[in-house]
Amino acid sequence: MNDSAASRLDQLLFLKRVQEQDLERTRRWITDEERRQSERRRGIEARPPQPDWLIERGLDGHSPPVYVHVGGCHMAGKRSKGVEREQALRALADGVPACTHCQPDSELGYLEG
């Protein structure tokens, strides 16, 4: 066997090893991505249900509520807390304004007065 044939065989064997390593790395990436997707799915399924009603607080934790929202309202701020229907109704009765976007007063059937 001449040197060029042996070196070509060595090159092909080397290429095979590199491709096997690349394939193994790709398989690890696939396994990692499948694990991440599974974790993401479990996290979404484990989330608590969205509250039906929200009360948004002022800038500090001690200031009075500023708005009542329907759960999931896009205008509800980060200082919003989920509450029961009765609490939302009580807040409206106590003069806390209803959000003009989600209109919780209409959703709750609350009539001023």
PDB file of all heavy atoms in Angstrom, residues 46-68:
ATOM      1  N   ALA A  46     -48.254  23.814  35.930  1.00  0.00           N
ATOM      2  CA  ALA A  46     -48.248  23.944  37.385  1.00  0.00           C
ATOM      3  C   ALA A  46     -48.614  25.357  37.853  1.00  0.00           C
ATOM      4  O   ALA A  46     -48.771  25.577  39.056  1.00  0.00           O
ATOM      5  CB  ALA A  46     -46.866  23.572  37.932  1.00  0.00           C
ATOM      6  N   ARG A  47     -48.753  26.297  36.928  1.00  0.00           N
ATOM      7  CA  ARG A  47     -49.106  27.661  37.331  1.00  0.00           C
ATOM      8  C   ARG A  47     -50.464  27.669  38.010  1.00  0.00           C
ATOM      9  O   ARG A  47     -51.384  26.978  37.586  1.00  0.00           O
ATOM     10  CB  ARG A  47     -49.187  28.578  36.109  1.00  0.00           C
ATOM     11  CG  ARG A  47     -47.879  28.995  35.567  1.00  0.00           C
ATOM     12  CD  ARG A  47     -48.064  29.958  34.418  1.00  0.00           C
ATOM     13  NE  ARG A  47     -46.779  30.217  33.795  1.00  0.00           N
ATOM     14  CZ  ARG A  47     -46.622  30.647  32.563  1.00  0.00           C
ATOM     15  NH1 ARG A  47     -47.679  30.884  31.813  1.00  0.00           N
ATOM     16  NH2 ARG A  47     -45.427  30.842  32.079  1.00  0.00           N
ATOM     17  N   PRO A  48     -50.583  28.487  39.032  1.00  0.00           N
ATOM     18  CA  PRO A  48     -51.910  28.606  39.657  1.00  0.00           C
ATOM     19  C   PRO A  48     -52.860  29.292  38.669  1.00  0.00           C
ATOM     20  O   PRO A  48     -52.418  30.051  37.806  1.00  0.00           O
ATOM     21  CB  PRO A  48     -51.659  29.475  40.882  1.00  0.00           C
ATOM     22  CG  PRO A  48     -50.382  30.181  40.621  1.00  0.00           C
ATOM     23  CD  PRO A  48     -49.586  29.324  39.684  1.00  0.00           C
ATOM     24  N   PRO A  49     -54.142  29.039  38.810  1.00  0.00           N
ATOM     25  CA  PRO A  49     -55.085  29.683  37.891  1.00  0.00           C
ATOM     26  C   PRO A  49     -55.072  31.197  38.080  1.00  0.00           C
ATOM     27  O   PRO A  49     -54.824  31.699  39.179  1.00  0.00           O
ATOM     28  CB  PRO A  49     -56.435  29.089  38.281  1.00  0.00           C
ATOM     29  CG  PRO A  49     -56.254  28.569  39.660  1.00  0.00           C
ATOM     30  CD  PRO A  49     -54.810  28.206  39.805  1.00  0.00           C
ATOM     31  N   GLN A  50     -55.346  31.899  37.004  1.00  0.00           N
ATOM     32  CA  GLN A  50     -55.384  33.347  37.043  1.00  0.00           C
ATOM     33  C   GLN A  50     -56.584  33.787  37.887  1.00  0.00           C
ATOM     34  O   GLN A  50     -57.676  33.229  37.744  1.00  0.00           O
ATOM     35  CB  GLN A  50     -55.518  33.871  35.620  1.00  0.00           C
ATOM     36  CG  GLN A  50     -55.355  35.341  35.474  1.00  0.00           C
ATOM     37  CD  GLN A  50     -55.391  35.721  34.007  1.00  0.00           C
ATOM     38  OE1 GLN A  50     -56.293  35.333  33.288  1.00  0.00           O
ATOM     39  NE2 GLN A  50     -54.397  36.469  33.580  1.00  0.00           N
ATOM     40  N   PRO A  51     -56.401  34.770  38.773  1.00  0.00           N
ATOM     41  CA  PRO A  51     -57.539  35.216  39.589  1.00  0.00           C
ATOM     42  C   PRO A  51     -58.597  35.881  38.715  1.00  0.00           C
ATOM     43  O   PRO A  51     -58.297  36.446  37.665  1.00  0.00           O
ATOM     44  CB  PRO A  51     -56.913  36.226  40.559  1.00  0.00           C
ATOM     45  CG  PRO A  51     -55.665  36.683  39.900  1.00  0.00           C
ATOM     46  CD  PRO A  51     -55.184  35.539  39.052  1.00  0.00           C
ATOM     47  N   ASP A  52     -59.832  35.805  39.166  1.00  0.00           N
ATOM     48  CA  ASP A  52     -60.932  36.420  38.427  1.00  0.00           C
ATOM     49  C   ASP A  52     -60.949  37.936  38.594  1.00  0.00           C
ATOM     50  O   ASP A  52     -61.393  38.654  37.705  1.00  0.00           O
ATOM     51  CB  ASP A  52     -62.271  35.843  38.890  1.00  0.00           C
ATOM     52  CG  ASP A  52     -62.442  34.387  38.485  1.00  0.00           C
ATOM     53  OD1 ASP A  52     -61.858  33.980  37.467  1.00  0.00           O
ATOM     54  OD2 ASP A  52     -63.150  33.660  39.198  1.00  0.00           O
ATOM     55  N   TRP A  53     -60.463  38.414  39.742  1.00  0.00           N
ATOM     56  CA  TRP A  53     -60.521  39.845  40.054  1.00  0.00           C
ATOM     57  C   TRP A  53     -59.194  40.290  40.649  1.00  0.00           C
ATOM     58  O   TRP A  53     -58.538  39.536  41.357  1.00  0.00           O
ATOM     59  CB  TRP A  53     -61.664  40.134  41.037  1.00  0.00           C
ATOM     60  CG  TRP A  53     -62.916  39.453  40.611  1.00  0.00           C
ATOM     61  CD1 TRP A  53     -63.467  38.330  41.142  1.00  0.00           C
ATOM     62  CD2 TRP A  53     -63.735  39.800  39.499  1.00  0.00           C
ATOM     63  NE1 TRP A  53     -64.581  37.971  40.441  1.00  0.00           N
ATOM     64  CE2 TRP A  53     -64.774  38.856  39.422  1.00  0.00           C
ATOM     65  CE3 TRP A  53     -63.700  40.821  38.556  1.00  0.00           C
ATOM     66  CZ2 TRP A  53     -65.753  38.900  38.447  1.00  0.00           C
ATOM     67  CZ3 TRP A  53     -64.690  40.864  37.587  1.00  0.00           C
ATOM     68  CH2 TRP A  53     -65.708  39.925  37.542  1.00  0.00           C
ATOM     69  N   LEU A  54     -58.821  41.526  40.380  1.00  0.00           N
ATOM     70  CA  LEU A  54     -57.565  42.081  40.890  1.00  0.00           C
ATOM     71  C   LEU A  54     -57.843  43.431  41.541  1.00  0.00           C
ATOM     72  O   LEU A  54     -58.696  44.186  41.074  1.00  0.00           O
ATOM     73  CB  LEU A  54     -56.565  42.303  39.750  1.00  0.00           C
ATOM     74  CG  LEU A  54     -56.149  41.087  38.934  1.00  0.00           C
ATOM     75  CD1 LEU A  54     -55.379  41.540  37.696  1.00  0.00           C
ATOM     76  CD2 LEU A  54     -55.301  40.166  39.775  1.00  0.00           C
ATOM     77  N   ILE A  55     -57.077  43.703  42.581  1.00  0.00           N
ATOM     78  CA  ILE A  55     -57.064  45.044  43.159  1.00  0.00           C
ATOM     79  C   ILE A  55     -55.634  45.547  43.045  1.00  0.00           C
ATOM     80  O   ILE A  55     -54.693  44.898  43.479  1.00  0.00           O
ATOM     81  CB  ILE A  55     -57.543  45.056  44.623  1.00  0.00           C
ATOM     82  CG1 ILE A  55     -59.028  44.701  44.674  1.00  0.00           C
ATOM     83  CG2 ILE A  55     -57.274  46.423  45.254  1.00  0.00           C
ATOM     84  CD1 ILE A  55     -59.655  44.765  46.040  1.00  0.00           C
ATOM     85  N   GLU A  56     -55.509  46.694  42.387  1.00  0.00           N
ATOM     86  CA  GLU A  56     -54.191  47.304  42.181  1.00  0.00           C
ATOM     87  C   GLU A  56     -53.925  48.305  43.281  1.00  0.00           C
ATOM     88  O   GLU A  56     -54.736  49.191  43.542  1.00  0.00           O
ATOM     89  CB  GLU A  56     -54.140  47.983  40.807  1.00  0.00           C
ATOM     90  CG  GLU A  56     -52.794  48.565  40.478  1.00  0.00           C
ATOM     91  CD  GLU A  56     -52.739  49.149  39.080  1.00  0.00           C
ATOM     92  OE1 GLU A  56     -53.673  48.933  38.292  1.00  0.00           O
ATOM     93  OE2 GLU A  56     -51.743  49.836  38.789  1.00  0.00           O
ATOM     94  N   ARG A  57     -52.791  48.156  43.928  1.00  0.00           N
ATOM     95  CA  ARG A  57     -52.384  49.048  45.025  1.00  0.00           C
ATOM     96  C   ARG A  57     -51.609  50.239  44.471  1.00  0.00           C
ATOM     97  O   ARG A  57     -51.125  50.226  43.345  1.00  0.00           O
ATOM     98  CB  ARG A  57     -51.490  48.294  46.001  1.00  0.00           C
ATOM     99  CG  ARG A  57     -52.231  47.221  46.747  1.00  0.00           C
ATOM    100  CD  ARG A  57     -52.675  47.790  48.054  1.00  0.00           C
ATOM    101  NE  ARG A  57     -53.547  46.874  48.758  1.00  0.00           N
ATOM    102  CZ  ARG A  57     -54.510  47.271  49.543  1.00  0.00           C
ATOM    103  NH1 ARG A  57     -54.731  48.543  49.722  1.00  0.00           N
ATOM    104  NH2 ARG A  57     -55.266  46.404  50.157  1.00  0.00           N
ATOM    105  N   GLY A  58     -51.447  51.240  45.320  1.00  0.00           N
ATOM    106  CA  GLY A  58     -50.654  52.418  44.973  1.00  0.00           C
ATOM    107  C   GLY A  58     -49.167  52.102  44.998  1.00  0.00           C
ATOM    108  O   GLY A  58     -48.755  50.943  45.087  1.00  0.00           O
ATOM    109  N   LEU A  59     -48.347  53.141  44.959  1.00  0.00           N
ATOM    110  CA  LEU A  59     -46.902  52.968  44.828  1.00  0.00           C
ATOM    111  C   LEU A  59     -46.245  52.267  46.000  1.00  0.00           C
ATOM    112  O   LEU A  59     -45.274  51.552  45.817  1.00  0.00           O
ATOM    113  CB  LEU A  59     -46.222  54.322  44.587  1.00  0.00           C
ATOM    114  CG  LEU A  59     -46.518  54.939  43.231  1.00  0.00           C
ATOM    115  CD1 LEU A  59     -45.876  56.312  43.132  1.00  0.00           C
ATOM    116  CD2 LEU A  59     -46.037  54.040  42.118  1.00  0.00           C
ATOM    117  N   ASP A  60     -46.728  52.487  47.203  1.00  0.00           N
ATOM    118  CA  ASP A  60     -46.143  51.745  48.320  1.00  0.00           C
ATOM    119  C   ASP A  60     -47.189  50.764  48.860  1.00  0.00           C
ATOM    120  O   ASP A  60     -48.363  50.847  48.528  1.00  0.00           O
ATOM    121  CB  ASP A  60     -45.624  52.676  49.422  1.00  0.00           C
ATOM    122  CG  ASP A  60     -46.709  53.494  50.094  1.00  0.00           C
ATOM    123  OD1 ASP A  60     -47.874  53.081  50.050  1.00  0.00           O
ATOM    124  OD2 ASP A  60     -46.385  54.537  50.675  1.00  0.00           O
ATOM    125  N   GLY A  61     -46.774  49.819  49.625  1.00  0.00           N
ATOM    126  CA  GLY A  61     -47.666  48.780  50.103  1.00  0.00           C
ATOM    127  C   GLY A  61     -48.733  49.260  51.062  1.00  0.00           C
ATOM    128  O   GLY A  61     -49.677  48.541  51.353  1.00  0.00           O
ATOM    129  N   HIS A  62     -48.606  50.488  51.551  1.00  0.00           N
ATOM    130  CA  HIS A  62     -49.543  50.996  52.553  1.00  0.00           C
ATOM    131  C   HIS A  62     -50.587  51.946  51.967  1.00  0.00           C
ATOM    132  O   HIS A  62     -51.513  52.326  52.664  1.00  0.00           O
ATOM    133  CB  HIS A  62     -48.774  51.703  53.669  1.00  0.00           C
ATOM    134  CG  HIS A  62     -47.711  50.831  54.275  1.00  0.00           C
ATOM    135  ND1 HIS A  62     -48.013  49.698  54.996  1.00  0.00           N
ATOM    136  CD2 HIS A  62     -46.365  50.907  54.226  1.00  0.00           C
ATOM    137  CE1 HIS A  62     -46.874  49.119  55.378  1.00  0.00           C
ATOM    138  NE2 HIS A  62     -45.869  49.833  54.930  1.00  0.00           N
ATOM    139  N   SER A  63     -50.425  52.324  50.726  1.00  0.00           N
ATOM    140  CA  SER A  63     -51.390  53.261  50.140  1.00  0.00           C
ATOM    141  C   SER A  63     -52.668  52.513  49.742  1.00  0.00           C
ATOM    142  O   SER A  63     -52.655  51.306  49.532  1.00  0.00           O
ATOM    143  CB  SER A  63     -50.780  53.971  48.934  1.00  0.00           C
ATOM    144  OG  SER A  63     -50.412  53.030  47.959  1.00  0.00           O
ATOM    145  N   PRO A  64     -53.761  53.226  49.661  1.00  0.00           N
ATOM    146  CA  PRO A  64     -55.035  52.570  49.348  1.00  0.00           C
ATOM    147  C   PRO A  64     -55.055  52.045  47.902  1.00  0.00           C
ATOM    148  O   PRO A  64     -54.250  52.474  47.072  1.00  0.00           O
ATOM    149  CB  PRO A  64     -56.059  53.690  49.543  1.00  0.00           C
ATOM    150  CG  PRO A  64     -55.302  54.955  49.417  1.00  0.00           C
ATOM    151  CD  PRO A  64     -53.895  54.658  49.863  1.00  0.00           C
ATOM    152  N   PRO A  65     -55.988  51.147  47.617  1.00  0.00           N
ATOM    153  CA  PRO A  65     -56.103  50.624  46.253  1.00  0.00           C
ATOM    154  C   PRO A  65     -56.406  51.742  45.266  1.00  0.00           C
ATOM    155  O   PRO A  65     -57.076  52.720  45.600  1.00  0.00           O
ATOM    156  CB  PRO A  65     -57.287  49.657  46.339  1.00  0.00           C
ATOM    157  CG  PRO A  65     -57.479  49.367  47.779  1.00  0.00           C
ATOM    158  CD  PRO A  65     -56.956  50.549  48.525  1.00  0.00           C
ATOM    159  N   VAL A  66     -55.907  51.579  44.030  1.00  0.00           N
ATOM    160  CA  VAL A  66     -56.136  52.601  43.009  1.00  0.00           C
ATOM    161  C   VAL A  66     -57.126  52.144  41.942  1.00  0.00           C
ATOM    162  O   VAL A  66     -57.791  52.979  41.337  1.00  0.00           O
ATOM    163  CB  VAL A  66     -54.819  53.078  42.360  1.00  0.00           C
ATOM    164  CG1 VAL A  66     -53.991  53.858  43.352  1.00  0.00           C
ATOM    165  CG2 VAL A  66     -54.026  51.942  41.787  1.00  0.00           C
ATOM    166  N   TYR A  67     -57.223  50.836  41.688  1.00  0.00           N
ATOM    167  CA  TYR A  67     -58.154  50.326  40.680  1.00  0.00           C
ATOM    168  C   TYR A  67     -58.587  48.911  41.023  1.00  0.00           C
ATOM    169  O   TYR A  67     -57.836  48.152  41.641  1.00  0.00           O
ATOM    170  CB  TYR A  67     -57.525  50.276  39.280  1.00  0.00           C
ATOM    171  CG  TYR A  67     -57.304  51.621  38.657  1.00  0.00           C
ATOM    172  CD1 TYR A  67     -56.013  52.113  38.490  1.00  0.00           C
ATOM    173  CD2 TYR A  67     -58.373  52.390  38.216  1.00  0.00           C
ATOM    174  CE1 TYR A  67     -55.801  53.349  37.914  1.00  0.00           C
ATOM    175  CE2 TYR A  67     -58.169  53.628  37.633  1.00  0.00           C
ATOM    176  CZ  TYR A  67     -56.880  54.100  37.484  1.00  0.00           C
ATOM    177  OH  TYR A  67     -56.672  55.325  36.919  1.00  0.00           O
ATOM    178  N   VAL A  68     -59.769  48.575  40.542  1.00  0.00           N
ATOM    179  CA  VAL A  68     -60.242  47.194  40.537  1.00  0.00           C
ATOM    180  C   VAL A  68     -60.194  46.748  39.074  1.00  0.00           C
ATOM    181  O   VAL A  68     -60.591  47.507  38.176  1.00  0.00           O
ATOM    182  CB  VAL A  68     -61.685  47.075  41.085  1.00  0.00           C
ATOM    183  CG1 VAL A  68     -62.176  45.642  40.994  1.00  0.00           C
ATOM    184  CG2 VAL A  68     -61.743  47.571  42.521  1.00  0.00           C
TER     185      VAL A  68
END
